[in-house]
Amino acid sequence: MSNTRYSELGGFLRSRRERIRPEEVGLAPGPRRRVPGLRRDEVAVLAGASVEYYTELERGAGSQPSDQMLAALARALRLSRDERDHLYRLANRPIPHQGGTASHVHPAMLDLLTRIDGTPAMVSTDLHTVLVQNPLAIAMLGDLSAHHGRAASFIYRWFTDPASRQIYPPEDLAPQSRSFVADLRAAVGRRSPGDAEATKLVDELLQQSPEFQALWADQDVEVRRDERKRIVHPTVGMLDLNCLSLFSEDGRQRLLWFTPRAGTDTAEKLALLTVVGTQAMQTEPVR
């Protein structure tokens, strides 16, 4: 990157940081703030970067940021899609396609996710790629955004990697498989005919999974809106949950949040998870 580009990138990051109030991203405003908007250390925490690294970026120095770091900064700073694309261009990185882990998340959906702090919640694409999770969702399910390539889609892992099913009770596996396939068919139908991303995912699953092939042939269609999920967490045990979805206008993304089912002890176990925190998961997390 040229020195001019570095300088423009730093200035752009600083301008976006200064326009955001702490309460808009779930931070306490606090007394005696000396700068407008967020502080550099707050942006660094939100983006999962070191304060030193983020400070270097704003100063127009340091190394070229990775695609993953740019995506994290775009979400931390609540950038619009146009602003996100501009950020990538300033960093001399290609604009990521929609559907991957670097997909743009609408700021309003991120705002809702920030405000849901008492229950696990996350944003995923219509092809089941998780884009961002709140801390309690990471504590419950692991970091689902850590996968890349085709494996970023949980439905792909579900039908190609048996480890992805380990924290579901065995009796729930068949209904979950059928639900995943019916929801995927609905997503494929919403997209443009011949959509390359969806077509490639379906073709690969048809080739690799006889179970998927049989379910796909049934042609069931049903959008996952409100489901019961039972998850066996390695620390707190069985969680009996309602999983609800809020969809973006085009149906390409959904905000999912998990609430404890009435008459169970799941609420107490979720409260324990807020204390346990994001411990390393020994099994593949699920969506």
Side-chain angles (χ1 to χ4, degrees):
M1 286 174 59
S2 68
N3 289 337
T4 300
R5 280 294 197 184
Y6 268 125
S7 178
E8 291 178 355
L9 175 64
F12 183 65
L13 289 172
R14 183 169 56 256
S15 71
R16 300 305 87 181
R17 170 174 61 83
E18 291 175 348
R19 70 177 183 169
I20 299 176
R21 297 191 303 274
E23 56 269 27
E24 293 176 342
V25 292
L27 299 174
R32 299 181 182 179
R33 297 184 66 87
R34 298 180 180 179
V35 296
L38 299 178
R39 298 191 301 264
R40 286 173 175 170
D41 63 297
E42 291 170 332
V43 175
V45 169
L46 291 170
S50 71
V51 178
E52 293 77 12
Y53 177 77
Y54 179 75
T55 299
E56 288 289 296
L57 285 180
E58 275 206 10
R59 289 174 176 170
S63 59
Q64 182 186 32
S66 66
D67 290 346
Q68 292 78 14
M69 178 52 60
L70 292 171
L73 288 170
R75 291 166 188 167
L77 295 170
R78 300 299 193 265
L79 301 187
S80 69
R81 181 172 296 181
D82 290 338
E83 290 171 330
R84 188 282 308 263
D85 291 354
H86 183 63
L87 178 67
Y88 273 77
R89 293 188 184 102
L90 290 177
N92 197 28
R93 294 286 188 184
I95 307 301
H97 71 278
Q98 281 300 104
T101 54
S103 292
H104 177 262
V105 182
H106 194 285
M109 196 165 279
L110 270 177
D111 181 59
L112 281 173
L113 181 68
T114 300
R115 297 173 189 278
I116 301 175
D117 57 3
T119 191
M122 58 193 183
V123 178
S124 73
T125 72
D126 58 341
L127 300 183
H128 301 276
T129 294
V130 172
L131 303 177
V132 61
Q133 299 163 271
N134 68 5
L136 192 51
I138 296 174
M140 184 176 78
L141 302 172
D143 184 1
L144 298 177
S145 65
H147 300 275
H148 302 287
R150 182 63 62 214
S153 168
F154 181 72
I155 194 171
Y156 178 84
R157 300 198 305 278
W158 179 264
F159 286 103
T160 62
D161 181 5
S164 67
R165 307 183 177 201
Q166 288 181 355
I167 63 173
Y168 275 116
E171 60 271 24
D172 292 357
L173 299 182
Q176 287 296 324
S177 292
R178 184 168 295 278
S179 175
F180 272 126
V181 175
D183 184 82
L184 179 61
R185 186 175 285 280
V188 172
R190 285 193 303 269
R191 292 190 172 212
S192 301
D195 178 271
E197 184 185 18
T199 299
K200 186 174 182 180
L201 174 61
V202 171
D203 287 346
E204 290 189 14
L205 286 171
L206 287 172
Q207 294 172 14
Q208 297 187 42
S209 172
E211 180 190 13
F212 179 86
Q213 187 178 63
L215 291 170
W216 190 255
D218 289 341
Q219 301 204 33
D220 291 340
V221 181
E222 185 175 10
V223 177
R224 292 158 63 104
R225 295 186 177 90
D226 181 0
E227 290 191 317
R228 179 184 182 182
K229 279 188 179 291
R230 296 192 301 162
I231 294 171
V232 183
H233 190 276
T235 302
V236 300
M238 178 75 77
L239 298 167
D240 199 342
L241 302 152
N242 295 309
C243 178
L244 303 104
S245 298
L246 175 67
F247 293 85
S248 61
E249 186 174 354
D250 62 2
R252 290 290 190 100
Q253 294 182 5
R254 69 182 86 190
L255 172 67
L256 301 102
W257 69 100
F258 302 83
T259 61
R261 289 180 66 87
T264 71
D265 61 355
T266 298
E268 290 79 6
K269 291 178 177 178
L270 287 178
L272 178 59
L273 266 184
T274 64
V275 178
V276 171
T278 55
Q279 294 182 343
M281 300 285 286
Q282 298 301 312
T283 58
E284 164 72 10
V286 301
R287 192 204 68 68

